[in-house]
Amino acid sequence: MQSALTLREAILENLQSRAWRAGHRLPTERELSGQFGLSRSTVRRVLSELKGRGLITQTVGSGTYVSEEVAHALANISHGGAPLATSPAELMSARLVLEPAIIAMVVGNATHADFDRMENCCERGEAAETIEEFELWDGKLHEAIADAAHNTFISAVFQRMNEARAQSEWGMLKRRSATPERRLDYQREHRELVAALKDRDGARANELCIGHLTHVRRNLLGY
């Protein structure tokens, strides 16, 4: 089985070589899933990331297409460099430093729309039928929290962290460590964190953020 990173690089190669030009219709999620041996939720996560970077667009009932702004989006990626090659341990260390550090900005800057987005991510994660789908919405929740800081640099950093989460080693650890009980714990912790942010309780949100990330690290890495 190939990794989400393999799919991402294959799509980027088609875009960079101009084999797929603006307006080109991409294969369906089902086709990509079969071709790369990935779950539909993993394919959806990769497409969501590429959409977020302006490379593709998606129309319900129609399909996924190369963006009209693909050249500009590719230029931004080339300046940003290749996907981060980092270990789960390095990623967790970075998350434990960065995510609590932005809580005050989120508390001060988040809007009602930001909180609605966070709630939707929680709901979609709770309704997820697979660990891959849950991981997708887990990542989207943490990205939504980062975006609520309303700082473009912070949003870019967290987007890169979500790219690192798409790497196969992280996914394998998540699947190995996943149990129904742990998932319920994560869902509860997500809800408590969002509630504290909505209450503008920075101290409580910071405590919950550190507690959640420490819990994830212990389950994934054993310390």
Side-chain angles (χ1 to χ4, degrees):
M1 181 173 291
Q2 302 184 67
S3 70
L5 188 60
T6 304
L7 171 59
R8 181 184 184 278
E9 290 304 300
I11 294 175
L12 282 175
E13 182 179 349
N14 278 304
L15 297 177
Q16 290 165 338
S17 68
R18 303 192 71 189
W20 293 352
R21 298 169 182 260
H24 177 90
R25 189 175 188 275
L26 273 65
T28 64
E29 288 181 5
R30 183 184 298 275
E31 290 168 340
L32 291 171
S33 175
Q35 181 181 348
F36 288 87
L38 299 170
S39 68
R40 292 280 293 276
S41 59
T42 299
V43 172
R44 197 171 298 122
R45 184 173 75 242
V46 172
L47 294 179
S48 176
E49 180 226 322
L50 296 176
K51 179 182 177 182
R53 304 194 75 162
L55 292 162
I56 61 174
T57 60
Q58 293 177 306
T59 304
V60 176
S62 179
T64 302
Y65 298 86
V66 178
S67 168
E68 295 296 328
E69 303 298 324
V70 64
H72 178 69
L74 285 171
N76 287 340
I77 287 178
S78 67
H79 291 145
L84 294 175
T86 187
S87 70
E90 289 176 327
L91 179 58
M92 282 309 309
S93 293
R95 291 183 67 188
L96 273 160
V97 170
L98 295 172
E99 294 193 37
I102 68 166
I103 291 296
M105 294 181 68
V106 175
V107 167
N109 298 333
T111 66
H112 290 299
D114 292 321
F115 293 131
D116 287 344
R117 180 182 169 193
M118 295 177 204
E119 295 280 4
N120 180 62
C121 290
C122 287
E123 291 169 6
R124 298 293 291 271
E126 290 161 3
E129 297 182 354
T130 65
I131 186 60
E132 291 86 2
E133 188 177 1
F134 175 74
E135 173 68 7
L136 168 68
W137 288 104
D138 183 329
K140 283 184 175 293
L141 171 61
H142 287 274
E143 190 172 307
I145 292 172
D147 287 345
H150 291 278
N151 181 294
T152 54
F153 180 77
I154 287 174
S155 293
V157 169
F158 275 77
Q159 189 173 68
R160 294 286 276 171
M161 287 203 297
N162 260 0
E163 290 172 22
R165 288 177 64 155
Q167 296 180 41
S168 59
E169 189 177 0
W170 176 274
M172 285 189 294
L173 279 175
K174 262 301 181 76
R175 285 190 292 275
R176 288 173 184 168
S177 68
T179 66
E181 294 77 18
R182 285 175 176 175
R183 176 172 162 178
L184 288 173
D185 285 342
Y186 292 157
Q187 290 172 183
R188 174 182 52 78
E189 290 165 2
H190 288 161
R191 287 289 190 178
E192 290 175 348
L193 174 57
V194 171
L197 292 171
K198 290 179 72 174
D199 288 341
R200 312 286 180 177
D201 187 342
R204 176 65 174 155
N206 186 274
E207 176 186 353
L208 289 167
C209 183
I210 293 173
H212 172 61
L213 293 173
T214 302
H215 188 192
V216 172
R217 183 181 66 183
R218 184 168 61 251
N219 287 340
L220 285 178
L221 304 172
Y223 65 88

